[in-house]
Amino acid sequence: MENMKPRVRFAPSPTGPLHIGGVRTALYNYLFAKKNGGSFLLRIEDTDQTRFVPGAEEYIIEAFQWLGLKFDEGVGIGGEYGPYKQSERKPMYKPYAEQLVRDGWAYYAFDTPESLDAKRKEAEVQKKTFQYDASTRMSMVNSLTLSAEETEKRIASGEPFVVRFKYPADTDIHVHDLIRGEVVINSNLLDDKVLYKSDGMPTYHLANIVDDHTMKITHVIRGEEWLPSAPLHVMLYKAFGWEAPQFAHLPLLLKPDGNGKLSKRDGDRLGFPVFPLEWHDPKSGEVSSGYRETGYLPEAVVNMLALLGWNPGTEQEIFSLDELVNLFSLDKISKSGAKFSLDKAKWFNHEYIQMKSSKELMPYITKIMDEKGVAYEEDYLLKVIDLMKERLTFPGEFWEQAGFFFVAPTEYSAQDLKKRWKEGTGEKLRVIDELLRKDEVFDMQAAHDRVMEHIKANEWNMGAVLNSMRIGIVGCARGPELFTMINILGTDEVHKRTEAVINAVEGGDN
Ligand code: GLU
């Protein structure tokens, strides 16, 4: 196994939209595979049909397409170890369950839900919890307590059964985890987990191990919530006589305040998405926001997630996917949970927007323009994006910040007018407007100097006059540098807007 190229898998269950923590798990698998020249697989673990949600599998595939993380093998791609969807592998699992029973590592159990419930209640009375294990299994209805004939007869007659794992009593099980080191648990603390059911379906545990083995998975990199299952998995490899893959259990993604696991509800409560794409729940109709629809760039999401639980040990924060691949190693993953931060997420997005050329941002912006039903010329729009980009955290803010470049204001901020507009301002704005239009071809620097000189020579209140000019152009006293705006808008448009604001504030001039 040492010289083998690593093979890792992301193995989601299609029970709903993919949580952002799952995306991080997949990302770490991807980075590890690419760093080491290995393969990254997508396996869909859909053995629990009761939790199946329509659309979830498609959602998962679309999310990774958006993020730009490509699988080498798996559902939707194919490969030599397929099928990659567990429901399509169903017939494969039975012989493995039977092998475990034959070898004394598992047994058939016929206990009804009612009898198990009764056992639980009985234990509760004694302030204990019932566990199906070495201390109790010999008092239950299973192939260890029934004769071979009786067991066969029950199976042949179609009586429902499960196959349970038979832990050896009082045995220390060692899990070597690449992040956590050695984890030891005594088998007496573990219950005889169900591996297979008479309806022909394996449970997660059996299917997961059989698939990881038959798909030649070398490293299992998954969330910390699976650590409690790892001792069973280690034992299953032992029972089958297979070499186990290496395990790496990733730290949890925590709420912004660090108190517990990041949940869907935190996202709703604190106003950030916990899913990569918007999700429309097919049952309840409930809509959960997605990073994509909120205006995050996929590169920003990848960069942010990479650093939630891993860092290369330097101050650098911005990494391309290639850089991440180059630098990634499992030993730089932290043991403690990583706190999600909305400010940081936004910071990354702002940074990535700045790294995009205005041309690259065009598709995001033209979408907004089309939604607003506003016509535009491409060159003009590009100039506006050039100028306004630095103010954007999300492309969706473009209209609020830059709409005035396309539609003249019809209302003016009363507060700003009150502060800036003085007696005689209208007259002064007309003078400035004249000065702006003096050159045949607008020369921004010349116009700027001319206006400034005039203001100084006449001892006008510069802040009041220029901000009033701005109110006429933008609708309020904000926006980018005045002459840069005028340069883009053109003096004809500025003239119109100046007349309009004077009329609005001081009444008609005739
Ligand atoms: N199907 C499991 C999940 O939904 C996979 C866990 C594992 O990676 O072993 O996360």
Side-chain angles (χ1 to χ4, degrees), residues 118-327:
K119 286 279 178 196
R120 273 180 216 119
K121 294 222 170 83
E122 216 174 275
E124 255 168 51
V125 175
Q126 298 166 35
K127 301 229 172 332
K128 284 188 193 146
T129 7
F130 172 74
Q131 187 168 272
Y132 209 124
D133 61 17
S135 70
T136 56
R137 62 171 85 106
M138 295 315 284
S139 60
M140 306 297 287
V141 188
N142 55 45
S143 56
L144 304 172
T145 55
L146 301 171
S147 68
E149 296 75 46
E150 174 66 13
T151 302
E152 257 164 52
K153 211 173 89 196
R154 286 186 182 225
I155 294 174
S157 74
E159 189 175 326
F161 65 84
V162 295
V163 173
R164 286 181 181 272
F165 189 70
K166 189 177 153 203
Y167 278 108
D170 193 19
T171 304
D172 280 343
I173 303 169
H174 296 252
V175 178
H176 302 278
D177 188 271
L178 294 172
I179 295 168
R180 266 144 234 283
E182 176 127 320
V183 181
V184 185
I185 186 150
N186 189 277
S187 63
N188 283 356
L189 295 169
L190 304 168
D191 64 332
D192 290 353
K193 276 271 181 295
V194 173
L195 301 176
Y196 187 84
K197 296 186 204 140
S198 47
D199 65 3
M201 268 300 188
T203 60
Y204 154 73
H205 303 290
L206 180 67
N208 189 269
I209 268 51
V210 167
D211 288 351
D212 279 348
H213 175 71
T214 54
M215 292 180 184
K216 298 201 163 53
I217 297 304
T218 59
H219 295 75
V220 168
I221 305 169
R222 61 185 174 192
E224 190 182 84
E225 64 273 27
W226 297 101
L227 190 58
S229 300
L232 173 60
H233 297 177
V234 166
M235 287 306 289
L236 279 168
Y237 282 102
K238 194 173 160 162
F240 282 119
W242 297 335
E243 185 178 353
Q246 306 217 50
F247 290 101
H249 288 91
L250 306 173
L252 293 176
L253 265 194
L254 302 175
K255 295 178 201 295
D257 63 10
N259 283 325
K261 201 171 150 178
L262 184 66
S263 74
K264 174 171 173 292
R265 225 163 280 138
D266 298 318
D268 299 340
R269 188 168 57 88
L270 301 166
F272 57 84
V274 289
F275 302 120
L277 316 179
E278 194 169 271
W279 168 256
H280 297 248
D281 191 273
K283 260 204 207 124
S284 66
E286 192 194 342
V287 179
S288 306
S289 67
Y291 278 86
R292 181 177 65 182
E293 290 73 12
T294 308
Y296 283 89
L297 301 180
E299 301 91 324
V301 175
V302 164
N303 194 153
M304 167 193 81
L305 285 178
L307 290 182
L308 278 173
W310 169 90
N311 81 74
T314 63
E315 294 294 302
Q316 188 181 343
E317 291 189 281
I318 299 290
F319 299 95
S320 67
L321 191 56
D322 283 346
E323 283 178 286
L324 290 172
V325 166
N326 270 328
L327 291 165

Side-chain angles (χ1 to χ4, degrees), residues 7-16 18 21-27 29-30 40-48 51 56-57 60 64 71 73-75 84-86 89 93 204-205 207-209 211-212 215 217 219-223 225-226 233 250:
R7 289 174 57 79
V8 296
R9 81 311 192 263
F10 180 55
S13 299
T15 54
L18 186 59
V23 177
R24 188 197 56 173
T25 298
L27 173 63
N29 274 281
Y30 173 90
F40 173 50
L41 282 72
L42 174 63
R43 183 170 76 223
I44 297 288
E45 302 209 323
D46 57 347
T47 53
D48 189 351
R51 295 179 62 219
E57 183 184 318
I60 291 166
F64 288 106
F71 292 100
E73 262 175 56
V75 173
Y84 293 90
K85 203 192 285 189
Q86 288 182 331
R89 300 168 70 80
Y93 304 108
Y204 154 73
H205 303 290
N208 189 269
I209 268 51
D211 288 351
D212 279 348
M215 292 180 184
I217 297 304
H219 295 75
V220 168
I221 305 169
R222 61 185 174 192
E225 64 273 27
W226 297 101
H233 297 177
L250 306 173

